[in-house]
Amino acid sequence: MFTVRTPRVVAARRLHRRRDRDETGRFLAEGPQAVREALRTGVVTELFATAEAARRYPELAQDASLVDDSAMQALADTMQPQGLVAVCRQRDVPLATVLSGGPRLIAVCVDIRDPGNAGTVLRTADAAGATAVIFAGDAVDPYNGKAVRSSAGSLFHVSVVRARDTAGTVAALRAAGVQVLAADGYGDSDLFDLDEALSMPTAWLFGSEAHGLPKDLDADRRVRVPLYGGAESLNLAAAAAVCLYSSAKAMRGA
């Protein structure tokens, strides 16, 4: 049984650091839901399980290396691990590959820094039928442990694109015939007045909660979600859900 000092455990533990994830092209997926989806996708390179988890999830852990509780605690990113951690290949896809497939719906996270928000947008985009989620500019690492957990397995369902050049990404989307809509609480267009426009291939831009989207970003429209009560604004995850599902509804009816 592997311990916290076993070289393979030591190597996997390093993937808690972004630098090591970037250098190796690997990341950790924790818990039965994430491991199940990672196995289905075929990106797992190594799997660790406690003896208890192997008994509880035999269909997932049949090829796992058994580790003791201390090793699992070191591999996991949660206070109460569920006993399964997979080392996975990162799933980055070039933007050109996504665009060549004629995407209908894309979410673009611009400079967002919170990994929980990143994972939630991945999950929402997957549920709404989006083709890809683009992490643009100085965005959080989508393979951060909290982002992976928050995606609830959806990280393995949608294409993930990382692009440092936000303006170049927007230009490429528009050149491919994808309209670019910026979610902006002060936008000139009301989301619920855009049913016809939303039926077109669309990339939604979402900015950080702290700073929003850059004002000089060249979107086709800046769109606000109408607020009917006393709330000052919606958080990023809620705004993304409303916008993506509004597009999904319009596209299904087109």
Side-chain angles (χ1 to χ4, degrees):
M1 182 174 290
F2 290 177
T3 71
V4 71
R5 293 186 176 87
T6 301
R8 284 159 63 182
V9 173
V10 172
R13 287 178 61 192
R14 294 193 183 107
L15 298 176
H16 288 303
R17 299 182 300 206
R18 182 169 187 169
R19 180 185 66 189
D20 289 275
R21 294 194 297 271
D22 289 343
E23 288 178 356
T24 62
R26 300 289 190 268
F27 70 101
L28 299 177
E30 177 183 344
Q33 174 65 15
V35 168
R36 182 178 294 108
E37 299 308 314
L39 288 168
R40 285 177 179 170
T41 312
V43 297
V44 175
T45 62
E46 189 161 22
L47 180 59
F48 301 100
T50 61
E52 180 183 353
R55 288 191 295 269
R56 183 177 300 175
Y57 308 105
E59 76 284 4
L60 301 179
Q62 56 185 342
D63 296 322
S65 299
L66 293 182
V67 299
D68 62 22
D69 289 341
S70 295
M72 179 53 62
Q73 191 67 57
L75 288 165
D77 196 37
T78 57
M79 294 298 294
Q80 296 181 318
Q82 294 177 278
L84 288 169
V85 173
V87 177
C88 306
R89 292 186 297 274
Q90 294 183 4
R91 305 190 60 253
D92 290 7
V93 176
L95 178 59
T97 300
V98 171
L99 296 179
S100 68
R104 295 284 290 164
L105 183 59
I106 295 174
V108 186
C109 299
V110 180
D111 299 333
I112 72 168
R113 304 300 300 156
D114 182 80
N117 277 335
T120 301
V121 171
L122 277 163
R123 185 176 184 178
T124 302
D126 177 24
T131 303
V133 178
I134 301 172
F135 292 88
D138 190 22
V140 67
D141 179 9
Y143 302 110
N144 172 288
K146 185 175 181 180
V148 176
R149 290 195 307 279
S150 297
S151 80
S154 288
L155 173 67
F156 302 102
H157 299 163
V158 298
S159 295
V160 175
V161 179
R162 289 194 281 181
R164 294 289 298 179
D165 181 2
T166 302
T169 298
V170 170
L173 289 163
R174 297 176 76 182
V178 179
Q179 72 170 337
V180 178
L181 303 181
D184 184 340
Y186 301 98
D188 296 328
S189 299
D190 186 310
L191 175 65
F192 298 146
D193 291 337
L194 299 180
D195 284 350
E196 183 175 349
L198 292 179
S199 66
M200 300 167 54
T202 299
W204 276 101
L205 307 181
F206 303 109
S208 71
E209 292 192 17
H211 305 292
L213 289 166
K215 295 301 182 185
D216 59 351
L217 210 52
D218 190 20
D220 294 301
R221 297 175 188 258
R222 287 188 172 260
V223 182
R224 69 183 183 277
V225 177
L227 302 175
Y228 301 122
E232 179 185 8
S233 63
L234 294 175
N235 65 20
L236 169 60
V242 174
C243 293
L244 291 169
Y245 265 92
S246 293
S247 285
K249 178 178 180 294
M251 290 173 184
R252 287 175 66 87

